[in-house]
Amino acid sequence: MYGSYPNFVGADSGYGSLKNYRFLEEHNIKNFVKYLTREGNVSGKRPSQYRINKNNTITCLKGNIGTIENNPPSHPRKKNTVFYKIEGCNNCEYMDYCKRFMKDKTKNFKYFEVSQDLQIYIQEAEKNLLSPEGIEMRVNRSSQVEGAFGVIKQDFMYERFRRTLLPKVSTEFMLVCLGYNIRKLFKFYSGNAKFQYWKAPVGLQVETFKKPSAKRLSNKANKVKKKSLNVEVRSKYMYK
């Protein structure tokens, strides 16, 4: 629409796909797009189990190094993925969390199926999002961008497209956005609105995630979910 691409892009985790990350790299757009599992890292409730290193190895939560397994235990579930094997899991405080989906939890190793390109993009996005520039972008996106959609949907009462087919729908929404921008512009002209953009203070440090609690993750992984009465009855019912 504008004849050029932006220098950087910020978006929520719904846009954190391999296709979108590749698009950003191909067009030299700095990546501030969240990934799907980011909230688990922020809260520490579902932290990422590994990180990929520059030498094409991975490092797990404990700090053990995993290398590519040439004889994987199963067929890959996704395209362009490789299996990594990490050993020494039985002496790890994160064992219950990492092995929660394994049938045989007595094995002293763990396999991870990794999309290398996606993981590299995710770690690049994470580094950018935790920087002072990323913090500034996240604060402003939540207070500015999200509000624009709220005004369009609620104040404009525009909740459904009136047309079909992508070209017509795109044109329709462009006109709606144009009307929104003109309306906002006249508010600035009249002096009834202020443009507030939060600037990161000088000396703001890079944000870091708190270390996940191994005890809490273990308790959560070992917690048995109580079945409802109906589910319990159905599981015990037998046809005669």
Side-chain angles (χ1 to χ4, degrees):
M1 288 172 63
Y2 292 98
S4 63
Y5 291 105
N7 295 324
F8 48 84
V9 164
D12 62 26
S13 59
Y15 296 92
S17 66
L18 179 58
K19 182 179 179 181
N20 287 342
Y21 285 142
R22 280 177 175 165
F23 183 90
L24 296 179
E25 182 183 42
E26 290 168 0
H27 295 88
N28 297 317
I29 303 172
K30 195 169 183 180
N31 178 8
F32 290 93
V33 179
K34 295 179 182 179
Y35 52 94
L36 292 174
T37 57
R38 186 175 187 274
E39 289 305 316
N41 285 327
V42 173
S43 64
K45 295 179 179 180
R46 296 179 303 278
S48 299
Q49 295 172 294
Y50 59 82
R51 294 182 64 84
I52 195 165
N53 305 314
K54 292 183 178 179
N55 61 354
N56 213 23
T57 61
I58 63 170
T59 303
C60 71
L61 281 170
K62 174 68 174 177
N64 294 337
I65 302 298
T67 56
I68 295 177
E69 177 63 35
N70 295 321
N71 297 310
S74 62
H75 293 289
R77 293 177 297 174
K78 300 177 182 178
K79 288 184 179 180
N80 302 319
T81 59
V82 295
F83 282 91
Y84 282 84
K85 184 179 182 180
I86 289 183
E87 297 183 294
C89 298
N90 289 349
N91 296 322
C92 175
E93 62 266 32
Y94 295 102
M95 180 185 71
D96 293 334
Y97 173 68
C98 291
K99 289 186 175 183
R100 63 192 187 279
F101 298 122
M102 288 179 61
K103 292 182 179 179
D104 186 359
K105 296 180 173 59
T106 62
K107 294 180 178 179
N108 196 30
F109 57 84
K110 166 74 175 176
Y111 288 104
F112 291 103
E113 185 180 354
V114 181
S115 173
Q116 294 171 309
D117 290 344
L118 178 59
Q119 188 61 32
I120 290 171
Y121 287 133
I122 285 174
Q123 291 177 198
E124 177 191 8
E126 191 60 77
K127 180 181 177 182
N128 294 338
L129 287 164
L130 294 176
S131 68
E133 185 182 5
I135 297 171
E136 181 179 295
M137 175 171 287
R138 283 188 282 132
V139 170
N140 287 293
R141 189 186 71 84
S142 62
S143 63
Q144 295 175 12
V145 179
E146 301 297 338
F149 289 103
V151 171
I152 290 173
K153 292 179 70 175
Q154 184 169 342
D155 296 353
F156 289 6
M157 293 184 289
Y158 183 78
E159 297 180 345
R160 292 179 64 89
F161 290 108
R162 275 73 168 176
R163 292 159 182 81
T164 58
L165 302 179
L166 186 58
K168 293 181 181 180
V169 169
S170 299
T171 303
E172 180 182 331
F173 193 63
M174 286 179 195
L175 291 172
V176 172
C177 293
L178 179 62
Y180 173 85
N181 289 336
I182 292 174
R183 177 177 179 268
K184 195 170 185 178
L185 183 63
F186 274 96
K187 277 191 174 182
F188 288 117
Y189 286 155
S190 64
N192 295 326
K194 295 181 180 179
F195 181 75
Q196 296 179 339
Y197 186 87
W198 185 80
K199 295 290 292 183
V202 177
L204 182 66
Q205 299 298 310
V206 174
E207 188 179 1
T208 57
F209 293 139
K210 61 181 180 181
K211 186 178 180 180
S213 169
K215 184 177 180 180
R216 185 177 298 174
L217 292 173
S218 178
N219 291 338
K220 187 176 181 180
N222 293 324
K223 186 176 181 181
V224 179
K225 189 174 181 180
K226 188 176 180 180
K227 295 181 180 179
S228 66
L229 179 60
N230 289 344
V231 174
E232 192 72 30
V233 170
R234 282 199 299 266
S235 64
K236 294 180 179 179
Y237 181 81
M238 294 181 63
Y239 289 100
K240 295 182 180 180

